[in-house]
Amino acid sequence: MNASRPLLEVKGLQKWFPLSRGFLQSSRFVRAVNNVDLIMRKGETVGIVGESGCGKSTLGRCILRLIEPTDGEIWFNGTNVSSLSKQAMHKYRRNMQMIFQNPYDTLNPKHRIRKILSEPLIAHRVPKEEHETLMVNILERVGLRKEHLERFPHEFSGGQRQRICIARALILGPELVIADEAVSALDVSIQSQILNLLQDLQEQMGLTYLFISHDLSVVQHISDRVAVMYLGEIVEMGDKQSFFQKPLHPYSQALLSAVPKNDPDENRERIILQGDLPSPTNPPSGCKFHQRCHVAMEKCKTEAPLLKEVEGRQVACHLYA
Amino acid sequence: MKPLLEVDNLCISFGNQATMRHVVENVSFHVHAGESLGIVGESGCGKSITSLAIMRLLGGNSRVSGQIRLNNKELLSLSENQMRTIRGKDTAMIFQDPMTSLNPLLTIGKQIGEVMEQHDNLPRDEVKKCVLELLTRVGIPRADEIYHEYPHRLSGGMRQRVMIAMAIACQPLLLLADEPTTALDVTIQAQILDLLQKIRKENRMALIMITHDLGVVAEVCDRVMVMYAGQVMETADVRTLLRTPMHPYTKALMMSRPQSAKENRRLNTIPGSVPSPEHFPNGCRFAPRCDQVMPICYEKTPALAPAGEGSACRCWLYDENKESKEVLV
Ligand SMILES: Nc1ncnc2c1ncn2[C@@H]1O[C@H](COP(=O)(O)OP(=O)(O)OP(=O)(O)O)[C@@H](O)[C@H]1O
Ligand SMILES: Nc1ncnc2c1ncn2[C@@H]1O[C@H](COP(=O)(O)OP(=O)(O)OP(=O)(O)O)[C@@H](O)[C@H]1O
Ligand SMILES: [Mg+2]
Ligand SMILES: [Mg+2]
């Protein structure tokens, strides 16, 4: 096996949702994810940030093929999983799991934890005699106990429920975990417990995380690399330290400047973005960010910048041409 | 000067005689015109029901006692009819979830217009003009188009701004904002906090900001009240609280933020979780999770004692007579 081969390689991924308004307009699309390239190495954490609606969840779902990408390739451990049949993909999915935002919606309230945890085992035909050991092991890893197997979701606190979701995602021993706003609904105190847990599990089980979050301080804490998305595209990607020290893309700069202060007297220049994220159905010409950009130039209105290597990072902006 | 809002010994309980649970106990605080008070604390500590009690919006299975004086009116003794004239005009609320509080069947223009018509007797076309102005003011682009849209066609950030527009439509003296930005991303959050600050300054409006984000507190609040398990644990002006927190709970909350972690180190956590009202412990309610707990903390409830100018703290650590009391136990 080639040691430097990435665990995951995404090439030119696209997801366009057709708009469902009448047949005459059926040629209109929501361009949720546009031409995304992404490489992840084993054991690393890549954080994805960006405004609501910029395509973070869609990207995560496409990688697992929970929804089918419109175009592009997904290579996992050297296999092109985007060309696999549904059945072959099902087998692969035990290596790639997702943790969702809201532990309340994703746990069936009528099922005991035993049933919730055994579902993935049954779906992947794990021999029945192994179930008990696997379930107890994973519960203990996430800080719960054997007796919790007989309880129902409502008997747990929010933090414990998120632990159960994590246990369910990890029970098959995946290599890649996509965490979609996995701690966003939790209190700071519970959030820090879960973040510590995710980091411990990563060390113990050699996990690779794609960590989607709109909370920049969380991403700053947990990631090795950060990718910033804007209107379906990655506009900046690079090493965490240098990104947070000196964001290069004007959108990244606005994003970081919007993080609330730690002290009322902290003096920080804030770049307030005007207006909302433009509609992904009808994206602006040129650079998609130009209408809201505080340093836009004439060129930005007509020419779309490509991702280019700048200061050891990838940035899509004409400023760095 | 007399405060605009005076809440004294507010107690809230739920259930009937047999199943009665005291969820909020003896909460007191004042807010002056133009001032902003932050209420912080973990989920379930009683922040929302405290604000719902002020609006008199708690359901039938609740019992509320104490005093809530707004602008010299005792709200708890008003009839529902009198209360209706207070809501919107004197005090308004932005709720945690905008979708549940917007009527999906009414256009944005109609919803905001209705609030205005209820309180000010304006002619129709005047109302429309005011609504459009208001929408522009809360930063909604294409106000004249959005006026005719239905809530589900707007993004989360736009809905939240519509909620704010509705809340400030009649220029309330007091605005209660319950986690107004928690569901939003930082760029929209920054826009909305900016907007709330602007309105507060322009109208000398008082603001109660409920949040569990200490960054939001640093951003907009003059004073802060920290709640835990239905009680006030500490209050202080925002600088004092953030720079020199006293209560171990306040310190723990601040320390568990990702910003407080050293480079790539584990985050600090508060062990355990907030007890539910039927399991409130004896003594200090935070004692079982406190890293500075002493024997007395499990025995006796500490009082919320004054601690310097405008500050108060409920903790045995700061009680001078602690030694003698410890002997007593
Ligand atoms: N099933 C779908 N059909 C049509 N459009 C969709 C669908 N799912 C997502 N979209 C659109 O695709 C875009 C990206 O959505 P996505 O959920 O990926 O954003 P996000 O970055 O995860 O946002 P958030 O931070 O709010 O979760 C949005 O404009 C959304 O409205
Ligand atoms: N209608 C009700 N009947 C019984 N108990 C209730 C009711 N509403 C709230 N409670 C209880 O009161 C306590 C405080 O609830 P509240 O909603 O005020 O918390 P909060 O501090 O706003 O939390 P969050 O940050 O999650 O919004 C909780 O223990 C809750 O279970
Ligand atoms: Mg999402
Ligand atoms: Mg609440």
Side-chain angles (χ1 to χ4, degrees):
Chain A
M1 192 179 125
N2 182 354
S4 68
R5 187 175 68 196
L7 177 69
L8 175 77
E9 190 166 4
V10 172
K11 294 181 190 168
L13 192 75
Q14 307 240 21
K15 179 63 190 180
W16 290 19
F17 293 105
L19 273 186
S20 47
R21 257 190 274 136
F23 352 26
L24 290 177
Q25 292 176 326
S26 62
S27 56
R28 296 201 0 167
F29 292 92
V30 177
R31 301 174 195 184
V33 172
N34 238 335
N35 228 337
V36 165
D37 295 328
L38 181 70
I39 288 181
M40 293 185 66
R41 308 208 170 269
K42 191 160 177 57
E44 78 168 341
T45 301
V46 174
I48 305 258
V49 298
E51 265 166 288
S52 180
C54 71
K56 306 181 293 294
S57 300
T58 306
L59 173 63
R61 279 161 209 239
C62 281
I63 291 174
L64 297 197
R65 283 184 62 195
L66 296 177
I67 47 178
E68 289 300 329
T70 315
D71 199 2
E73 291 176 9
I74 300 153
W75 292 75
F76 187 79
N77 253 339
T79 306
N80 182 353
V81 295
S82 40
S83 66
L84 295 178
S85 67
K86 276 228 152 66
Q87 287 95 320
M89 186 61 211
H90 175 74
K91 225 178 79 220
Y92 254 88
R93 212 168 268 141
R94 67 182 292 174
N95 298 316
M96 315 152 95
Q97 289 289 327
M98 194 143 178
I99 305 169
F100 296 94
Q101 165 162 12
N102 199 335
Y104 303 87
D105 298 346
T106 51
L107 295 176
N108 188 328
K110 294 198 201 98
H111 291 172
R112 289 177 202 276
I113 306 310
R114 172 181 295 284
K115 177 149 173 104
I116 290 171
L117 288 183
S118 64
E119 268 165 7
L121 298 175
I122 293 166
H124 286 275
R125 306 231 175 91
V126 176
K128 198 140 182 62
E129 54 276 18
E130 292 172 28
H131 287 196
E132 187 73 15
T133 331
L134 283 171
M135 288 194 287
V136 174
N137 272 346
I138 199 70
L139 271 188
E140 284 173 357
R141 273 193 192 251
V142 301
L144 296 172
R145 289 186 310 275
K146 186 177 178 205
E147 56 264 34
H148 289 138
L149 280 176
E150 310 311 328
R151 301 216 187 137
F152 290 96
H154 73 260
E155 297 175 69
F156 293 91
S157 71
Q160 287 176 320
R161 268 178 265 195
Q162 195 55 302
R163 286 172 194 265
I164 294 165
C165 291
I166 293 172
R168 182 177 55 182
L170 297 186
I171 196 163
L172 292 164
E175 291 180 81
L176 173 71
V177 175
I178 299 185
D180 190 357
E181 307 279 5
V183 298
S184 306
L186 306 173
D187 270 340
V188 270
S189 55
I190 307 299
Q191 179 176 298
S192 53
Q193 290 174 7
I194 299 291
L195 288 173
N196 283 346
L197 172 68
L198 287 172
Q199 283 189 309
D200 292 344
L201 294 170
Q202 179 168 43
E203 262 172 45
Q204 294 162 11
M205 305 170 72
L207 299 172
T208 306
Y209 289 138
L210 185 66
F211 197 92
I212 298 171
S213 177
H214 65 257
D215 188 333
L216 288 151
S217 56
V218 167
V219 167
Q220 179 168 21
H221 177 75
I222 202 163
S223 312
D224 301 306
R225 288 192 297 135
V226 181
V228 182
M229 280 185 81
Y230 188 79
L231 220 56
E233 292 171 5
I234 291 182
V235 296
E236 177 163 358
M237 177 155 55
D239 171 59
K240 169 181 74 179
Q241 251 87 14
S242 55
F243 172 77
F244 278 97
Q245 240 154 47
K246 190 183 165 207
L248 293 176
H249 197 284
Y251 176 64
S252 315
Q253 292 167 358
L255 205 59
L256 288 196
S257 82
V259 173
K261 302 185 262 200
N262 289 316
D263 188 278
D265 296 328
E266 188 179 320
N267 222 336
R268 198 194 309 153
E269 203 63 53
R270 175 158 291 165
I271 308 163
I272 294 272
L273 286 181
Q274 298 306 318
D276 275 323
L277 196 64
S279 154
T281 336
N282 194 5
S285 62
C287 172
K288 289 179 173 174
F289 183 58
H290 82 261
Q291 294 152 328
R292 302 169 77 195
C293 182
H294 57 290
V295 288
M297 306 173 286
E298 213 34 57
K299 186 180 182 183
C300 307
K301 292 183 190 160
T302 50
E303 243 179 86
L306 298 174
L307 262 185
K308 269 198 308 246
E309 183 104 355
V310 183
E311 300 184 24
R313 254 178 276 174
Q314 304 228 288
V315 187
C317 177
H318 289 311
L319 277 183
Y320 306 96
Chain B
M1 206 185 58
K2 221 168 138 40
L4 175 73
L5 174 74
E6 297 168 278
V7 174
D8 287 304
N9 294 315
L10 178 68
C11 297
I12 305 170
S13 35
F14 288 104
N16 54 35
Q17 285 296 357
T19 60
M20 185 75 81
R21 298 187 301 162
H22 302 283
V23 174
V24 164
E25 261 180 37
N26 288 320
V27 167
S28 303
F29 58 90
H30 296 177
V31 189
H32 288 273
E35 189 184 36
S36 87
L37 172 75
I39 304 185
V40 299
E42 285 165 283
S43 187
C45 64
K47 307 181 297 289
S48 293
I49 55 170
T50 299
S51 58
L52 290 171
I54 296 172
M55 293 293 286
R56 292 260 317 263
L57 286 173
L58 283 171
N61 68 337
S62 64
R63 285 245 306 261
V64 181
S65 66
Q67 277 110 48
I68 303 174
R69 271 185 308 280
L70 178 75
N71 215 7
N72 288 321
K73 277 183 280 256
E74 175 53 59
L75 299 191
L76 289 182
S77 60
L78 296 185
S79 70
E80 178 53 32
N81 261 338
Q82 291 170 305
M83 199 55 215
R84 220 168 277 147
T85 64
I86 300 246
R87 276 186 222 123
K89 188 82 193 149
D90 288 353
T91 169
M93 181 154 178
I94 303 171
F95 296 90
Q96 224 162 336
D97 173 15
M99 224 24 205
T100 55
S101 32
L102 289 174
N103 184 341
L105 301 176
L106 288 184
T107 60
I108 301 301
K110 267 248 156 49
Q111 311 215 12
I112 305 178
E114 258 185 10
V115 180
M116 288 184 161
E117 280 165 23
Q118 247 170 38
H119 292 286
D120 311 313
N121 287 317
L122 290 174
R124 270 279 153 82
D125 45 336
E126 263 306 295
V127 169
K128 174 158 189 191
K129 216 179 105 220
C130 291
V131 171
L132 286 177
E133 262 175 40
L134 205 56
L135 286 175
T136 316
R137 193 153 166 236
V138 296
I140 291 202
R142 303 181 288 123
D144 43 342
E145 283 174 45
I146 299 297
Y147 184 94
H148 299 287
E149 282 287 8
Y150 289 89
H152 70 269
R153 309 249 314 164
L154 306 186
S155 73
M158 298 240 273
R159 274 183 223 145
Q160 199 65 330
R161 273 174 275 185
V162 169
M163 284 284 301
I164 294 179
M166 228 153 88
I168 61 168
C170 300
Q171 310 201 341
L173 306 169
L174 169 71
L175 178 64
L176 294 149
D178 192 355
E179 309 266 12
T181 58
T182 305
L184 307 175
D185 46 72
V186 283
T187 50
I188 297 169
Q189 167 168 292
Q191 287 175 12
I192 288 184
L193 295 183
D194 245 41
L195 172 70
L196 285 177
Q197 289 294 71
K198 217 170 88 204
I199 297 167
R200 185 158 75 91
K201 299 232 165 74
E202 286 170 9
N203 301 356
R204 261 180 68 71
M205 179 184 77
L207 173 67
I208 294 182
M209 174 67 100
I210 296 174
T211 176
H212 59 249
D213 187 340
L214 290 162
V216 170
V217 165
E219 210 61 60
V220 298
C221 298
D222 303 318
R223 280 191 305 119
V224 193
M225 175 166 105
V226 181
M227 282 185 78
Y228 183 78
Q231 292 178 329
V232 178
M233 288 296 172
E234 181 170 2
T235 68
D237 77 84
V238 67
R239 287 177 179 77
T240 311
L241 189 106
L242 293 176
R243 290 172 193 169
T244 52
M246 291 177 72
H247 201 286
Y249 179 57
T250 315
K251 291 182 190 169
L253 274 184
M254 292 183 62
M255 288 307 292
S256 54
R257 294 194 294 163
Q259 294 94 310
S260 308
K262 300 272 174 324
E263 217 23 71
N264 285 327
R265 282 288 200 57
R266 292 174 61 80
L267 295 170
N268 300 298
T269 59
I270 311 178
S273 53
V274 184
S276 55
E278 56 271 32
H279 296 117
F280 285 160
N282 291 329
C284 172
R285 290 181 179 170
F286 185 58
R289 303 173 70 194
C290 181
D291 58 359
Q292 299 185 63
V293 66
M294 304 175 292
I296 189 177
C297 308
Y298 292 111
E299 307 281 339
K300 289 186 168 180
T301 309
L304 184 66
E309 205 170 332
S311 301
C313 181
R314 185 191 291 279
C315 178
W316 285 122
L317 281 176
Y318 302 96
D319 190 294
E320 270 122 51
N321 305 319
K322 172 180 64 194
E323 309 302 331
S324 58
K325 279 194 188 123
E326 232 165 348
V327 178
L328 280 178
V329 175

